[in-house]
Structures are given as structure tokens and as C-alpha cells.
Amino acid sequence: MEQDDLFSPPERIAGLRSLAYDLSWTWHQNAREVFRHLDYALWRFTEHNPVRMLSMVSRERFSEAAQERSFLALYDAAIEYLDRARTAKDTWWSVRFPDLSTRPVAYFSAEFALHQSLPIYAGGLGVLAGDLCKEASDLGIPLVGVGFMYPQGYFHQRISSAHWQEETYERLNWDQAPVERLTDGSRPRLVLVPLGTRQVYVSVWIVRLGRVSLFLLDTDLEENAPEDRELSARLYGGDRQMRLQQEIILGIGGVRVLRGLGYDPMIWHLNEGHTAFLVLERIREALELGESFEAALKTVRSSTVFTTHTPVAAGHDAFPLHMVEAQLAGLSGAFKQHQTDILELGRYDNGDGSLFNMTTLALRTTGAINAVSQLHGSVTREMWAPIWSDLPGGARTIKVVTNGIHVPSWIAPNLARLFDRHLGKEWLNHHDETDLWEDIFNIPDEELWAVRQELRSYLIAFMRERARQLWAEEKVSSSRIVAAGTLLDPSALTIGFARRFTGYKRPDLVFHNPERLARILTAPRRPVQIIFAGKAHPADEDGKRIVHETYKRAVDPSFGGRIAFMEDYDLHVAHFLVQGCDVWLNTPQRPYEASGTSGMKASINGGIHLSVGDGWWAEGYTGFNGWLIEGSADDDPSMTNATEAEALYRLLEVEIVPAFYDRDTNGIPTRWLRIAKEAIRTVMPRFSARRMIKQYAEEMYEPAARLAASSSPLRTTIG
Ligand SMILES: *Cc1c(COP(=O)(O)O)cnc(C)c1O
């Protein structure tokens, strides 16, 4: 039906289109209300995709809405808000750094998680990039993002009848996603990037996020050979060679796209090593202007910031040197003369011979480097010890900016309204101020508990609806309907575990002693249930095995229907889970979780973190705001698993289940709520994206901008 009868909104509400195409609606409650009120059934049917929704609203409904006083009030407020989000002059950044408001920060990332209607992310790295861009808009930081448009995105997960993960790719329907192609007249705007001996055309899509624009590169064009059209098709698909080519397009193409659009960034921020080729294009530019190789390197270094995320040496992208040399062969002129110097920038021997390592390239070419938690900072300083001698400042240059989450995006609306009543309407504008949160203890327990019960019931209703659809549309077996969560109890203590399924994250640790776990889950008057969700990377056989094993637990009657597995984890599912679960379980093998962010999302919503002391929890746990699964110093992983599983069971039996089920005469778990309030009080300000990006601005961007301005006479002639 949707394509045949496309109606435009009447003139009075014609701004609906701008509202739908600016993803700032996702974190502005008043804009969400506009779409909810326009057509609630379609809003839910499209999984909150206003672009798609607008193509389905009937002509009658549009004309009716254009006359409705209550709707128009919402609409006018949202339009005013959007205008302010894009153009306000009195932002945090403009007040703090009035002289740095003209040139942007260019933020490069291989993935961005902004909304479920734009599946160009796989997991935590993308969520961090998306949250950072959203907060940059809120604070008025002049940031532009550069990433990849993957027409097929990341895969959808289905569990087969034999309980194995199956991957399907769906072509994105451009007309139903909040992206627009940049054009020159009627033709796509194109940029050329040399790959090997050929040239590849790249087109650009724009995603609007309030003040921030995000440019996404796409090679699926008629002008390109079939294999080059496929280059941008999928996130983390393909082999080494394709991955290398993607990274060249992103880094070198990304710089060319920004130049073509007239940008002259003051800072270039690399989110993880995938983006590091951008420094080569900038070295090339400087060489073309006649700088020496050393001067070019110095210019680039002074204005470039690098965030590293991976604490496992083998997790860093590395390519055979000859492969890199062959793919860069098309960059001619001065660049070619320095081919050897360029390859040396990436050379690193990780034990498997010399490779071109993207992290090494970034470490050697950026002046400000950060890890994403305190613990990850120490791991990083140690892990790259062999190359510190190459660098001015050595390991000392590794700073720490612990990750944070975009609070307006992750806070549950019901809880936000509770804060409006008790902390004042302005709380969201001050959410990174620690003083504000002292007032959390003024919120009556009954009111917080009522919201927590509601959030849990929304989660369970959401899961049952998905299970119902599986049953009705795909006719899956009844045991899979149980696994999907139909037997869940909306009043039982609910534990969530949702993230990528892979070995080091140990989704299976909680099953170390299945009988003991079953006793905890099925206790007669104190039931406990666990909801799992998560995809395994298509090439991660061990991760897929863990999905399989976990799913088998969910259909195993000895756990009494108290374990569920929600398929196809994405941002939409994540919102329900982090807001609705009572406990958020996190059991990585130390120190492999660089930061982790899902536990922060749960904590700000009054869910309680139950985690080993890895990543952010190593600095976030205060003794009162959640639970710490005591680590084991043992070198033997099977001993560590046994010790940590024992600690986990003891916490559940002795602390967690009693705290949840011990109620006062009004049925309120007061001890539980004290911990929940402590979680909100301590996590909200410190682990917000607002605190994080202010720290990037003050400790990395601003010093680099001043350094670059003083050391680069040629810079201003480009662009
Ligand atoms: C927050 C989030 C993640 C990251 O979770 P971690 O626990 O930090 O690994 C991954 N995927 C989605 C969809 C998320 O929302």
C-alpha cells in the first residue's frame, strides 16, 4: 500500500518532513510525541521510523491533524526545538571556546549506531560513536561525522529450528531511511578514490543530527565495476582485501569528501584504527604543498586525535605490507616517492611477522591518544610497549577518557517524567552535575518502584508480542515460543545479559553449575529469570557455538521457562532491555572489556549492575551502587571461571534475591531501591556522554587545535 498512495502533509504541518529527516527527534521527547500522536498504530508498526511512517499516513489523517489544536501545539513546539537544536548561539562550546567555533572537528568511524532504521552498526563501537555525535549536537560542538553507508547493513539474526544462529541481509530501502544523497543538480555528487591501479567512484549520503551532520560514503554506483559496487555493501563482511579496500575508501575518500564540501577541520578524530588511512591522505596533501615528509607528519600529528578501543593485540586490523602497497599504488606524485616511509608508519610485528597494523599507523601519526577506561589505559600502555620508543612522550601520551552514554537517548520516558517532578524540569540540561543527583533520595520509594515495575512489564509485553509474531508468521515450534519469552513473569526478578556473543564476554559463565543456577531460578516464591540477547559475528565460530548453547538452555525444561533468548539484538531491543531489567549481568574475562557501556545504560534507569571489575566498572563501582563479582588472579582460565561463577552464585543467593524479595508492609523493597538510587546518583553524571565529550573537548581537541594553529603555516591554504 505504501508506495501507491504517497501523500504530502498539508502546508501547515509541512515541517514534519524536516522533523523526520533529522534524527534529533530520537532524543527529543516533544518530537517523539508528534509522531506518536500523528498515528500511534503506524508508529508502532514501523518500529518508530517516521520516514517510513510519513509515507503511509492517509490523506484524511494529515488534513485532520492539520486542524487539531493539541496536535498543532506539539508540532509547533517540536519545530521550534529543532530550529534551536540546529542554530542556538549560546551553546556550551561557544561559551567555553568562543574563538574555536568556525572550523569543525571531523570524527571518523567505521560504524555509527543512531537508530534501528539505519542498520550501519554492529555493536558497542557504533553506539559510542552515535552517542558522541548526539551529545556533540547538544553541546554545540562543531562536529561532522564521516562513516560508511552499508546498503545491506549488519545482518539480522534468526535462530534455526536446530538452535543455530542464521544470518540474513536485507537491502536497505533508501526511501524508508533517514538519509539523503548529496547531489550536484540531478546527479549524485561523486568523489574519486584510487584503489590499486583503478579509480573508484564514491557518493555521499547525509544524516542530520541537529547541529551535527554525518556523511556516509557509498560505492554502489553504476559508474563502478561490480566488485567495487559491493565494497560498501556490508559492515564487517568480506575478506582481508575487501576490508582493506573499505578502510582506504573511508579514510582517503572521507578526507576528499570533506574537502569537496569545503570543510577545513581543525581537528581530525579517529575512532579506532579502521579510520587511520585518513592520515595518509593528509600527509599526501601536505607533501603536494611542498612540505618535507617530516614536516608533513608533524602537521598531521598536531591536529589529529586517536581513540583506541581494543585491549587484545590480535583484535587490531593488520594487513600484509605488499597488499597495502598494491592498494595504495594509485596515489602518485610526492606520495609515491615516500612509499617506504609510509609503509614504515604501519609496520608492526605482532609475533606473526611484519604486517601493516592500523593501530600502529594511528599511534605513530597522532598527537593525542586515549584509551576508554582507566584499566584499559594501563593495558594499552603495556600492550604497545615495543613502539613507545618511536614516539615523543612514549607511553605517557596515552590519556584516558572513559566512555559514556547519551543520557537523553537512553533514559526511559517514565523515569524522565519522575525526575521532572522531583528534580525540576531542567534536570536533563544539568545531568552531568553531581550535586543535582544528591536529590535522588527525595524521590519516594513507592514512586520509583512503580516506574521500575512498569518498565519491566513493558519489556515482557514487548517480548511476548515478538513471540506471538514468530508463532503466527513463521509457525515456529512451541519450544521456540517459550525461548522467546512467553513464560516470563512480569513481577519476577529479571536479569538481563545482552551484548555481542563472543568468547571473552563469557555469556556462558552463569551456566557454570547448571543445577545450582536452576535452583536459584526456580525457587518457589522467589523466582528469577534471565533474558539473553546478542549476535555472534558471522566469522566467530566460538561465538556462534555460545549462542547455540545459550539457546538450548532457554528451551531446556529444567530451567522452568525462566530463561529467554531474544533474537536479533539491535538498538530497539536494547532500549527495552536496559530499561526493563532489574539486574544487568556482565561477566567478561578481565581485562578484555575495554569499557563496556550497556551497564551504564541500565544503571541510569535504576537497573543494578552485577559485574566483574573490568572496563568501566573497575572505576565505577563504589561499594554501594551495584555488585562486584570478585575476580580471581588465577592464570588458568578454567580456575578463574570456577571462582568467578562461585562468586556470582553467592551474590545471587545471599544478596540479590533477598534484597529484591524482602518487602516492607507496603510491598516495597527498600534495600533494593537504595542501591538503585545509588546507581543513578553515581553513574548518571560520571558516565554520561556529556562528561565524556567535555573531556575530549578540554583535554584533547582544544590543546590540539591551539598546537596545530601555532605549528602549521601552510594549513590555511588548503580547502
Ligand atoms: C550499548 C549497546 C552495545 C554495547 O554493549 P556492551 O555491553 O558495552 O558490549 C551493543 N549493542 C547495542 C545494540 C547496544 O545498545
Side-chain angles (χ1 to χ4, degrees):
M1 80 179 236
E2 46 207 83
Q3 293 311 319
D4 304 340
D5 42 18
L6 260 180
F7 302 116
S8 301
E11 190 58 34
R12 174 66 179 85
I13 51 174
L16 281 174
R17 200 169 175 284
S18 320
L19 216 50
Y21 274 93
D22 189 315
L23 280 172
S24 63
W25 71 259
T26 60
W27 71 93
H28 287 140
Q29 184 62 28
N30 53 7
R32 289 200 298 260
E33 290 299 322
V34 169
F35 297 120
R36 280 171 71 99
H37 278 76
L38 185 60
D39 192 326
Y40 185 58
L42 278 183
W43 180 238
R44 290 193 54 180
F45 176 76
T46 61
E47 289 202 330
H48 305 179
N49 178 350
V51 172
R52 180 161 181 223
M53 181 180 151
L54 288 186
S55 73
M56 301 172 78
V57 172
S58 69
R59 191 199 302 264
E60 291 72 36
R61 180 54 197 144
F62 270 141
S63 1
E64 199 179 75
Q67 321 265 330
E68 244 169 57
R69 194 170 293 183
S70 57
F71 180 79
L72 291 175
L74 285 173
Y75 170 82
D76 290 337
I79 293 289
E80 194 190 317
Y81 225 91
L82 175 61
D83 190 47
R84 199 139 29 95
R86 287 178 174 172
T87 58
K89 298 248 182 324
D90 52 345
T91 63
W92 175 81
W93 176 272
S94 62
V95 171
R96 187 84 178 69
F97 304 117
D99 58 328
L100 295 180
S101 287
T102 47
R103 294 167 65 199
V105 175
Y107 182 77
F108 280 56
S109 178
E111 46 173 305
F112 288 91
L114 304 163
H115 188 251
Q116 56 265 15
S117 60
L118 203 55
I120 54 167
Y121 62 92
L125 183 71
V127 177
L128 179 84
D131 279 16
L132 182 139
C133 290
K134 292 172 181 176
E135 190 62 51
S137 175
D138 292 347
L139 291 180
I141 298 181
L143 185 134
V144 292
V146 178
F148 237 84
M149 180 73 239
Y150 307 94
Q152 299 178 27
Y154 198 54
F155 72 91
H156 289 285
Q157 178 194 53
R158 250 189 107 258
I159 306 293
S160 72
S161 51
H163 313 326
W164 289 92
Q165 167 176 304
E166 290 179 345
E167 296 115 32
T168 59
Y169 290 87
E170 247 172 59
R171 238 195 121 72
L172 186 69
N173 183 341
W174 304 110
D175 299 333
Q176 299 183 349
V179 293
E180 294 168 287
R181 205 197 284 268
L182 294 185
T183 54
D184 280 329
S186 61
R187 292 185 39 75
R189 176 187 268 275
L190 298 178
V191 163
L192 271 175
V193 180
L195 265 190
T197 51
R198 61 194 197 280
Q199 302 273 340
V200 175
Y201 287 94
V202 177
S203 73
V204 193
W205 298 81
I206 181 169
V207 178
R208 293 171 211 279
L209 296 159
R211 185 177 297 264
V212 167
S213 298
L214 179 58
F215 298 106
L216 301 177
L217 281 50
D218 175 19
T219 63
D220 187 14
L221 293 160
E222 279 172 18
E223 288 83 347
N224 286 331
E227 65 274 19
D228 292 334
R229 298 186 67 158
E230 283 291 307
L231 271 182
S232 68
R234 298 174 179 183
L235 173 59
Y236 304 143
D239 56 9
R240 304 294 319 147
Q241 166 120 338
M242 184 184 252
R243 176 76 166 251
L244 170 62
Q245 293 177 338
Q246 280 191 341
E247 294 183 6
I248 291 175
I249 300 275
L250 176 61
I252 293 179
V255 175
R256 294 184 176 189
V257 162
L258 290 184
R259 297 296 189 206
L261 293 169
Y263 288 105
D264 180 21
M266 63 177 163
I267 299 295
W268 303 75
H269 187 163
L270 284 60
N271 188 39
E272 191 60 321
H274 314 129
T275 60
F277 282 119
L278 83 85
V279 301
L280 298 193
E281 173 66 3
R282 292 179 51 231
I283 289 174
R284 191 192 66 80
E285 289 177 341
L287 292 174
E288 295 292 330
L289 286 173
E291 288 188 26
S292 69
F293 183 77
E294 287 66 34
L297 189 55
K298 188 161 173 255
T299 303
V300 169
R301 195 180 267 151
S302 66
S303 54
T304 311
V305 169
F306 171 47
T307 303
T308 178
H309 292 264
T310 313
V312 191
H316 296 257
D317 265 346
F319 305 101
L321 286 150
H322 65 84
M323 196 188 265
V324 176
E325 187 175 353
Q327 292 299 330
L328 294 180
L331 290 164
S332 51
F335 190 83
K336 194 121 203 166
Q337 290 161 19
H338 291 281
Q339 180 115 325
T340 321
D341 297 325
I342 303 267
L343 288 177
E344 282 311 305
L345 290 173
R347 182 190 290 275
Y348 187 68
D349 186 347
N350 199 10
D352 308 322
S354 277
L355 290 169
F356 189 91
N357 186 301
M358 296 301 286
T359 303
T360 319
L361 171 64
L363 292 172
R364 291 191 181 127
T365 54
T366 56
I369 304 165
N370 76 288
V372 294
S373 71
Q374 296 295 341
L375 182 59
H376 178 230
S378 334
V379 172
T380 303
R381 286 178 202 112
E382 209 165 296
M383 184 165 65
W384 297 104
I387 74 159
W388 297 138
S389 56
D390 308 354
L391 294 181
R396 283 193 315 274
T397 52
I398 301 285
K399 300 191 177 119
V400 169
V401 180
T402 301
N403 284 346
I405 52 161
H406 185 238
V407 167
S409 294
W410 290 105
I411 195 77
N414 302 19
L415 196 56
R417 283 192 290 273
L418 185 69
F419 294 158
D420 283 347
R421 286 203 297 280
H422 293 282
L423 305 173
K425 287 250 178 238
E426 284 297 307
W427 72 270
L428 196 53
N429 289 333
H430 298 277
H431 70 262
D432 64 330
E433 295 167 18
T434 46
D435 292 355
L436 173 78
W437 296 101
E438 299 304 321
D439 290 346
I440 190 87
F441 294 103
N442 299 343
I443 297 181
D445 281 351
E446 304 76 61
E447 293 187 35
L448 179 59
W449 185 237
V451 170
R452 291 295 318 162
Q453 301 265 67
E454 259 168 19
L455 295 177
R456 190 187 322 103
S457 71
Y458 295 165
L459 164 64
I460 309 270
F462 175 74
M463 293 188 67
R464 286 184 176 162
E465 175 55 23
R466 284 210 160 185
R468 199 191 58 73
Q469 283 172 12
L470 273 180
W471 177 255
E473 289 164 23
E474 297 189 33
K475 307 190 172 52
V476 302
S477 70
S478 50
S479 68
R480 292 188 52 216
I481 296 304
V482 168
T486 29
L487 297 187
L488 294 179
D489 176 347
S491 59
L493 169 55
T494 304
I495 301 175
F497 184 105
R499 50 181 61 80
R500 184 159 56 91
F501 270 50
T502 192
Y504 83 82
K505 292 194 186 243
R506 294 190 300 183
D508 44 357
L509 186 76
V510 69
F511 296 110
H512 192 80
N513 180 341
E515 291 76 29
R516 189 161 170 194
L517 178 65
R519 280 198 299 280
I520 296 173
L521 300 189
T522 59
R525 284 180 314 283
R526 299 184 156 195
V528 178
Q529 54 201 7
I530 312 182
I531 303 172
F532 288 93
K535 300 171 178 176
H537 186 283
D540 179 358
E541 292 306 325
D542 190 46
K544 288 187 183 177
R545 181 191 56 77
I546 307 174
V547 168
H548 176 71
E549 298 295 329
T550 308
Y551 198 87
K552 282 205 313 204
R553 306 290 188 180
V555 296
D556 178 348
S558 60
F559 295 104
R562 301 222 183 270
I563 292 176
F565 189 99
M566 181 142 48
E567 296 176 27
D568 206 24
Y569 185 48
D570 70 357
L571 279 179
H572 194 50
V573 171
H575 274 89
F576 281 96
L577 281 169
V578 298
Q579 294 171 1
C581 289
D582 301 292
V583 170
W584 197 255
L585 180 64
N586 182 40
T587 50
Q589 199 176 332
R590 230 172 105 100
Y592 295 131
E593 189 67 271
S595 167
T597 53
S598 59
M600 304 172 187
K601 301 169 193 165
S603 296
I604 67 162
N605 282 293
I608 306 182
H609 204 210
L610 165 59
S611 173
V612 302
D614 198 10
W616 77 279
W617 198 232
E619 65 200 83
Y621 175 64
T622 61
F624 307 98
N625 61 352
W627 294 285
L628 179 72
I629 301 168
E630 291 286 350
S632 139
D634 213 298
D635 283 338
D636 174 357
S638 66
M639 291 302 292
T640 318
N641 286 352
T643 318
E644 295 183 4
E646 168 66 26
L648 169 59
Y649 296 134
R650 270 193 64 79
L651 280 172
L652 284 169
E653 290 159 350
V654 178
E655 308 263 348
I656 299 173
V657 177
F660 186 85
Y661 284 108
D662 287 352
R663 306 287 168 91
D664 71 7
T665 47
N666 299 317
I668 307 291
T670 48
R671 196 146 48 97
W672 185 272
L673 291 173
R674 195 167 336 118
I675 304 171
K677 285 178 180 174
E678 270 295 324
I680 298 171
R681 185 180 78 83
T682 55
V683 175
M684 185 89 72
R686 259 181 84 196
F687 296 97
S688 62
R690 180 158 296 186
R691 184 275 308 150
M692 168 179 76
I693 199 166
K694 282 184 177 175
Q695 216 180 331
Y696 275 116
E698 290 171 347
E699 296 174 23
M700 320 256 307
Y701 298 164
E702 196 245 3
R706 306 236 181 265
L707 182 66
S710 67
S711 71
S712 166
L714 290 174
R715 192 87 322 229
T716 48
T717 59
I718 296 184

